[in-house]
């Protein structure tokens, strides 16, 4: 699969930002909204008494106990499996989705994602036992794996080159909007007895239906058509999305790029070559660090967390709605700053920012929240405020940049293979956190926040010394302008150059 971008040395191709492209971007980005909705809905549903009584009665009984343990009342491996099974399924599905994207195209892959979503929603919302619930979550995971692989590729290939960065981040923006909508749904369905949780889980069907029927309106990307030898269809699709007649130069560029990419028979093997290691290592570690900021632990279980620190059930969900609004608005800040201040500045600033927040939250909980009882209202309010400030820092940095940097640093011949590995790594580490967080909270108590603080220090140092600045550098120029001058990564480029010289002697 080839994601074609213009060379930094070539003039920009002629293109208009057409209404049709805007519609295509919005429809495709609903794949991100579904992903975000699931992140937000899981924690709210697992805090609803009706849901717990039906599927996890032991957790519900612990929750009702007069002297319940604040840190352990939700500790149940099956409850965690409800959330985390989706991400394990998405990990497996991302590699299958990569093959489907190559063989059938981006548009059918998004349609497959929609079908998986709809079946999964039907099973979870209509579940009568835990087996049905988990199978539904696994199918939702396949939808996430297919959607997260196809949508960013689709957005990259459909957008005019000069707007590619901004339009790509629409995916992350829709993820944050999905989280916000889920928090609103959680808030209003929490008082609907006994089936509020069914309404909440069933809500994911709405964006899935929009993506399914919308996918019949949008076109296949020119790159996908041309790489599957449908050159004339690709040329017509390119003319339609660019809104101009003179598309020959860009068309020839796509044909040439697809020819080069087709010569690489095993892109995954090429990822292990020395020259591929810098973006490969950074791409994987960014996914690890993105999850070990602790963000999904807070987003998955925001309602649970706020209940733990002393808010009532409704107030807890309302607090989660507030964090959702902050998440959306702060993503706009990231869109505005990323090409002005650069990637490194945002990563470093937010590392300090998030570290301070995690430490303050951890100190308050260690000092004032025992295994029973609750925080005083002033302390609980401070915790909520710093959770919100923490979400701001993540939303304009490690959130969008965890996806952006891997998508712009791989060379063309390994770009989609590298991105598939990045997606699967993200799903794996999301699974680890989702499956382990409640048990970690039970065992480590307030120490969980110091655990994430330590990771934030590590990732901040990694960003400082090993993540190069890519602002303003054309994707095709990364090797010469980013990797070769870098104090550490240049050794891998030199090793590759030496191998080439030996083969030509």
């Amino acid at each position: 699969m080839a994601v074609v971008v213009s060379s930094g040395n070539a003039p920009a191709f002629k293109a208009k930002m057409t209404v049709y492209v805007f519609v295509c971007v919005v429809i495709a980005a609903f794949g991100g909204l579904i992903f975000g909705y699931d992140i937000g809905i899981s924690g709210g549903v697992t805090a609803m008494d009706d849901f717990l009584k039906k599927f996890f009665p032991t957790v519900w009984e612990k929750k009702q106990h007069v002297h319940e343990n604040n840190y352990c009342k939700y500790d149940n491996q099956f409850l965690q499996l409800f959330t985390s099974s989706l991400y394990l399924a998405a990990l497996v599905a991302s590699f299958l989705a990569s093959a489907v994207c190559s063989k059938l195209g981006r548009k059918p892959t998004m349609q497959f994602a929609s079908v998986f979503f709809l079946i999964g929603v039907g099973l979870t919302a209509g579940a009568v036992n835990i087996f049905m619930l988990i199978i539904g979550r696994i199918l939702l995971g396949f939808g996430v794996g297919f959607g997260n692989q196809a949508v960013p590729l689709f957005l990259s290939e459909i957008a005019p080159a000069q707007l590619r960065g901004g339009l790509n981040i629409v995916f992350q923006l829709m993820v944050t909007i999905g989280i916000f909508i889920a928090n609103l749904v959680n808030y209003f369905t929490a008082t609907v007895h006994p089936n509020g949780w069914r309404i909440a889980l069933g809500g994911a069907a709405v964006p899935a239906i929009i993506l399914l029927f919308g996918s019949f309106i949008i076109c296949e990307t020119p790159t996908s058509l041309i790489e599957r030898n449908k050159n004339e269809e690709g040329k017509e699709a390119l003319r339609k999305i660019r809104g101009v007649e003179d598309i020959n130069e860009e068309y020839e560029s796509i044909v040439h790029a697809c020819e080069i990419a087709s010569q690489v028979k095993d892109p995954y093997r090429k990822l292990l070559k020395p020259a591929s290691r810098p973006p490969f290592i950074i791409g994987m570690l960014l996914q690890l660090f993105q999850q070990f900021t602790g963000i999904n632990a807070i987003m998955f279980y925001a309602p649970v967390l706020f209940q733990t620190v002393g808010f009532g059930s409704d107030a807890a969900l309302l607090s989660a709605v507030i964090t959702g609004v902050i998440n959306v608005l702060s993503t706009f800040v990231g869109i505005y700053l990323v090409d002005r201040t650069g990637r490194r500045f945002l990563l470093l600033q937010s590392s300090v920012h998030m570290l301070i927040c995690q430490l303050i939250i951890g100190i308050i909980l260690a000092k004032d929240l025992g295994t029973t009882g609750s925080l005083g209202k002033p302390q609980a309010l401070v915790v909520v405020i710093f959770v919100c400030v923490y979400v701001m820092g993540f939303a304009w940095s490690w959130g969008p940049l965890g996806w952006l940097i891997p998508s712009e640093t791989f060379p063309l011949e390994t770009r989609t293979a590298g991105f598939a590995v990045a997606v699967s790594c993200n799903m794996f580490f999301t699974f680890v956190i989702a499956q382990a967080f409640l048990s970690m909270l039970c065992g480590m108590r307030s120490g969980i926040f110091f655990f994430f603080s330590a990771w934030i220090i590590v990732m901040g140092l990694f960003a400082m010394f090993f993540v190069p600045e890519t602002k303003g550098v054309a994707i095709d120029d990364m090797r010469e302008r980013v990797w070769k001058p870098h104090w550490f990564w240049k050794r891998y480029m030199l090793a590759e150059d030496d191998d080439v010289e030996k083969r030509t002697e």
Side-chain angles (χ1 to χ4, degrees):
M1 295 182 293
V3 180
V4 178
V5 295
S6 60
S7 168
N9 301 318
F13 300 121
K14 294 179 182 178
K16 297 176 182 176
M17 180 57 196
T18 63
V19 173
Y20 182 70
V21 168
F22 178 77
V23 170
C24 287
V25 167
V26 172
I27 289 173
F30 267 87
L33 192 146
I34 300 169
F35 183 37
Y37 184 89
D38 180 82
I39 291 172
I41 213 71
S42 300
V45 167
T46 53
M48 293 181 187
D49 285 348
D50 292 321
F51 177 81
L52 292 175
K53 276 191 282 187
K54 185 168 184 64
F55 297 106
F56 307 99
T58 58
V59 177
W60 180 77
E61 302 235 348
K62 274 203 288 184
K63 186 182 173 187
Q64 304 309 307
H65 200 276
V66 177
H67 298 294
E68 65 186 2
N69 186 315
N70 279 316
Y71 296 101
C72 298
K73 59 186 174 185
Y74 293 99
D75 180 24
N76 180 282
Q77 285 298 309
F78 283 108
L79 180 60
Q80 291 173 132
L81 186 62
F82 165 74
T83 296
S84 61
S85 57
L86 182 149
Y87 302 98
L88 193 59
L91 186 162
V92 175
S94 62
F95 290 102
L96 178 60
S98 178
V100 174
C101 261
S102 286
K103 301 298 182 186
L104 300 181
R106 286 53 161 159
K107 179 175 171 177
T109 307
M110 286 189 280
Q111 290 169 338
F112 276 121
S114 303
V115 172
F116 282 129
F117 278 128
L118 287 172
I119 298 172
V121 166
L123 287 173
T124 53
V128 295
N129 54 51
I130 194 167
F131 175 77
M132 195 171 168
L133 194 68
I134 299 300
I135 293 299
R137 291 288 291 179
I138 290 171
L139 287 171
L140 285 172
F142 270 76
V144 167
F146 273 66
N148 284 15
Q149 178 69 22
V151 172
L153 285 176
F154 180 87
L155 296 178
S156 290
E157 295 172 353
I158 209 82
Q162 66 272 24
L163 299 174
R164 183 170 289 122
L167 293 180
N168 257 334
I169 298 181
V170 172
F171 177 76
Q172 175 70 15
L173 178 65
M174 292 293 266
V175 171
T176 65
I177 291 172
I179 293 170
F180 170 62
I181 292 172
N183 288 334
L184 280 177
V185 171
N186 281 333
Y187 179 70
F188 288 110
T189 56
T191 56
V192 178
H193 303 292
N195 292 316
W197 63 271
R198 294 189 189 276
I199 298 170
L201 293 175
V206 176
I209 290 170
I210 293 172
L211 180 62
L212 178 61
F213 287 99
S215 66
F216 290 99
I217 299 172
I218 64 179
C219 66
E220 182 58 90
T221 70
T223 301
S224 177
L225 290 166
I226 292 168
E227 74 175 345
R228 290 181 288 125
N229 299 315
K230 299 181 179 182
N231 289 31
E232 284 306 311
E233 290 180 47
K235 196 169 189 177
E236 283 306 307
L238 185 62
R239 186 174 286 113
K240 184 175 184 178
I241 64 175
R242 293 295 176 251
V244 295
E245 287 298 316
D246 185 11
I247 46 86
N248 288 331
E249 190 176 355
E250 184 172 4
Y251 171 74
E252 292 300 329
S253 173
I254 295 173
V255 171
H256 179 65
C258 290
E259 288 172 351
I260 293 173
S262 68
Q263 293 171 10
V264 178
K265 302 303 181 185
D266 189 350
Y268 289 100
R269 176 175 291 183
K270 190 168 179 63
L271 280 174
L272 301 178
K273 299 287 185 181
S276 299
R277 286 176 198 164
F280 184 60
I281 292 169
I282 288 175
M284 288 196 300
L285 287 179
L286 283 177
Q287 307 312 313
L288 168 68
F289 292 149
Q290 187 191 69
Q291 297 311 311
F292 278 78
T293 58
I295 185 63
N296 275 354
I298 284 178
M299 284 300 184
F300 284 151
Y301 303 110
V304 173
L305 179 64
F306 288 126
Q307 278 186 281
T308 298
V309 298
F311 283 72
S313 182
D314 287 349
L317 289 172
L318 181 59
S319 301
V321 169
I322 293 169
T323 61
V325 172
I326 291 168
N327 197 18
V328 173
L329 296 179
S330 298
T331 302
F332 281 107
V333 175
I335 291 172
Y336 178 78
L337 290 178
V338 68
D339 288 316
R340 290 172 169 82
T341 63
R343 282 72 159 148
R344 277 171 51 83
F345 173 82
L346 291 178
L347 291 175
L348 294 171
Q349 179 278 329
S350 64
S351 294
V352 176
H353 178 139
M354 292 189 296
L355 176 63
I356 292 170
C357 293
Q358 289 274 25
L359 288 174
I360 290 174
I361 293 169
I363 289 169
I364 291 173
L365 296 186
K367 180 173 173 287
D368 297 318
L369 184 66
T371 55
T372 59
S374 64
L375 285 177
K377 287 299 178 186
Q379 294 96 324
L381 183 60
V382 171
V383 168
V384 171
I385 289 171
F386 275 96
V387 165
C388 292
V389 175
Y390 165 87
V391 169
M392 287 171 58
F394 177 86
W396 65 53
S397 61
W398 290 90
L401 296 182
W403 295 105
L404 174 61
I405 292 173
S407 74
E408 67 183 2
T409 51
F410 284 101
L412 177 62
E413 61 269 22
T414 58
R415 192 164 300 148
T416 53
F419 191 68
V421 172
V423 170
S424 64
C425 284
N426 187 283
M427 293 301 108
F428 174 74
F429 294 123
T430 304
F431 166 78
V432 170
I433 290 294
Q435 186 63 25
F437 175 68
L438 291 178
S439 296
M440 290 167 67
L441 182 64
C442 179
M444 300 173 70
R445 302 185 181 182
S446 58
I448 188 78
F449 293 96
F450 300 111
F451 171 81
F452 288 128
S453 296
W455 276 101
I456 291 173
I457 293 171
V458 171
M459 65 186 70
L461 292 172
F462 179 81
M464 179 180 292
F465 293 108
F466 297 105
V467 178
E469 182 56 70
T470 55
K471 181 187 76 168
V473 181
I475 293 179
D476 296 332
D477 291 340
M478 289 289 172
R479 180 186 174 88
E480 298 298 324
R481 293 181 56 189
V482 172
W483 303 122
K484 281 190 174 181
H486 192 270
W487 73 274
F488 181 80
W489 300 119
K490 66 182 179 183
R491 68 192 69 186
Y492 295 99
M493 301 298 117
L494 295 173
E496 183 83 356
D497 290 343
D498 290 343
D499 287 344
V500 172
E501 287 179 12
K502 288 176 183 177
R503 287 195 297 269
T504 55
E505 286 176 356

